[in-house]
Amino acid sequence: MKNIKHITHPLIEHKLTFLRDVKTDPFQFRMLIDEITYLLIFEACRDLELKDVKVQTPVSTANCKKLKTKVMICPILRAALGMLDAVFKIIPDASVGFLGFQRDEKSLEANFFYAKLPDDYKNRTAIVIDPMFATGGTAIEAVKFLKQKGVKNIKFISIIAAPEGLKKFSEKFPDVNVYVSAIDEGLNEKGYIVPGLGDAGDRVFNTLS
Ligand code: URA
């Protein structure tokens, strides 16, 4: 699976340990999601195109580079909202295209319910974000949606993935790179990643009872 980029780094490993811990409170959980996303976005953006620019420094003229690639960050509602701020801090002039998919808890199918893309979405590289890459169903539907709309360059960033979801996705979209910080053992009967971290949305938004 050449398109699966497992990003390993001592800082990511360290932060994942706290992220997974059931005792980590929502405030710290959000900070960790933010920090791990920073580290992943750097890797995911390694091949973005640059253009030459000149900048006047207080001393002289410097030959510099600016991003040529226009980026559209696509958070999949709702858990990915926890990752959005980190991407925005790194690429402040990116646009956001929201994608809404609701997972049916019985069939584990991803049902589309909402999309709001920027006007010029066809000219942008889409960076889809979703912290948990479980069955791959939502990721496949999200990428299918963007491709059908005419988006040509798509990348995917996830924090924790299940091997079966990655395999399914890779078979369908070998051209879409997935950057992930952990590949876990697998899925349980409810479609949760094992050992994973539980429901990422609940932990970000403090909606656990
Ligand atoms: N979504 C989550 O939030 N957690 C999982 O383990 C799987 C899907």
Side-chain angles (χ1 to χ4, degrees), residues 72-207:
M72 164 169 70
I73 315 162
C74 295
I76 299 182
L77 301 174
R78 78 186 155 141
L81 293 182
M83 300 168 76
L84 179 58
D85 199 43
V87 190
F88 243 157
K89 277 187 202 135
I90 301 292
I91 315 173
D93 54 359
S95 294
V96 178
F98 288 99
L99 299 177
F101 290 90
Q102 175 81 44
R103 187 162 81 148
D104 183 307
E105 294 305 333
K106 282 210 176 91
S107 67
L108 302 182
E109 303 259 306
N111 296 317
F112 173 85
F113 70 89
Y114 180 73
K116 177 78 185 153
L117 303 183
D119 290 344
D120 61 348
Y121 67 88
K122 279 190 187 162
N123 305 325
R124 292 179 177 268
T125 290
I127 302 180
V128 186
I129 51 176
D130 195 359
M132 305 303 275
F133 200 110
T135 62
T138 306
I140 288 170
E141 289 305 315
V143 169
K144 201 193 288 174
F145 175 84
L146 291 173
K147 281 188 178 252
Q148 277 168 357
K149 284 269 181 194
V151 180
K152 298 214 171 39
N153 296 316
I154 306 175
K155 297 162 180 286
F156 208 106
I157 300 182
S158 244
I159 293 181
I160 300 182
E164 44 273 66
L166 292 176
K167 185 168 178 287
K168 204 163 131 197
F169 183 89
S170 276
E171 282 163 8
K172 211 134 190 125
F173 300 118
D175 58 315
V176 177
N177 283 351
V178 180
Y179 300 84
V180 61
S181 54
I183 301 177
D184 277 9
E185 288 161 26
L187 297 168
N188 69 12
E189 64 294 343
K190 289 186 178 157
Y192 276 86
I193 299 175
V194 181
L197 49 72
D199 188 303
D202 278 338
R203 295 193 67 181
V204 168
F205 295 109
N206 197 14
T207 45

